[in-house]
Amino acid sequence: METQTAAGLTVTEAAAAKLAEVLAQLEKPRAAVRVYAQGHGHHAQYGMSVDEHALDGDVVLQAGAVTIRVDPISWTQLEGATIDWAATAQGEGFVIQPARAHEGCGCGGGCGCNH
C-alpha cells in the first residue's frame, strides 16, 4: 500500500484517492479536509469534515491534490497519524490511526500509555 507523507501526517493512497473524489463531487474549489481530535488520552476520538475556510493557526498540509487542515490543539494528537480508507465486513470508511497508539493497548490509541 503506497502512502503519501504530508509533513507529519501519512495518508494512504486509497485514502488520498477517496478524499479527492469526495471533494471533487462537492464542486467547491476552496474545499479542504479538516481533521480533528476531540478529547484526550483514552477518550480521544478523531474525525474529518469538509472545510472551506482556514483558521488562524491551522496546520495546512498537502496530500496529493487534497489540502488538509488541522487546528493546533488537534495537531498535538494527530502529528504522525495515518489516515487510511478501509473496507470491512461492517462497511467502508476512513480510519485515523494516531501515532501514539500502542500495540496491545485496548484503549484505541492516542493515549501514550505503556501497556
Side-chain angles (χ1 to χ4, degrees), residues 4-6 11-13 15-24 28-33 60-69:
Q4 301 175 33
T5 301
V11 181
T12 66
E13 185 176 299
K18 192 64 171 179
L19 288 169
E21 178 184 320
V22 169
L23 291 177
K28 295 181 178 183
R30 302 177 101 194
V33 175
V60 180
L61 311 163
Q62 200 68 33
V66 177
T67 299
I68 298 172
R69 297 180 182 132

Side-chain angles (χ1 to χ4, degrees), residues 14-109:
K18 192 64 171 179
L19 288 169
E21 178 184 320
V22 169
L23 291 177
Q25 290 175 357
L26 296 175
E27 298 181 7
K28 295 181 178 183
R30 302 177 101 194
V33 175
R34 179 163 297 279
V35 183
Y36 56 87
Q38 293 179 324
H40 294 284
H42 290 290
H43 304 290
Q45 294 184 8
Y46 305 94
M48 295 188 294
S49 62
V50 175
D51 181 40
E52 290 190 83
H53 304 286
L55 303 174
D56 286 342
D58 274 351
V59 175
V60 180
L61 311 163
Q62 200 68 33
V66 177
T67 299
I68 298 172
R69 297 180 182 132
V70 183
D71 68 85
I73 294 171
S74 293
W75 185 246
T76 63
Q77 292 196 55
L78 288 166
E79 184 174 14
T82 298
I83 299 174
D84 194 9
W85 174 260
T88 67
Q90 291 80 26
E92 303 181 310
F94 291 102
V95 177
I96 300 172
Q97 182 66 42
R100 291 172 185 86
H102 291 275
E103 297 285 331
C105 178
C107 71

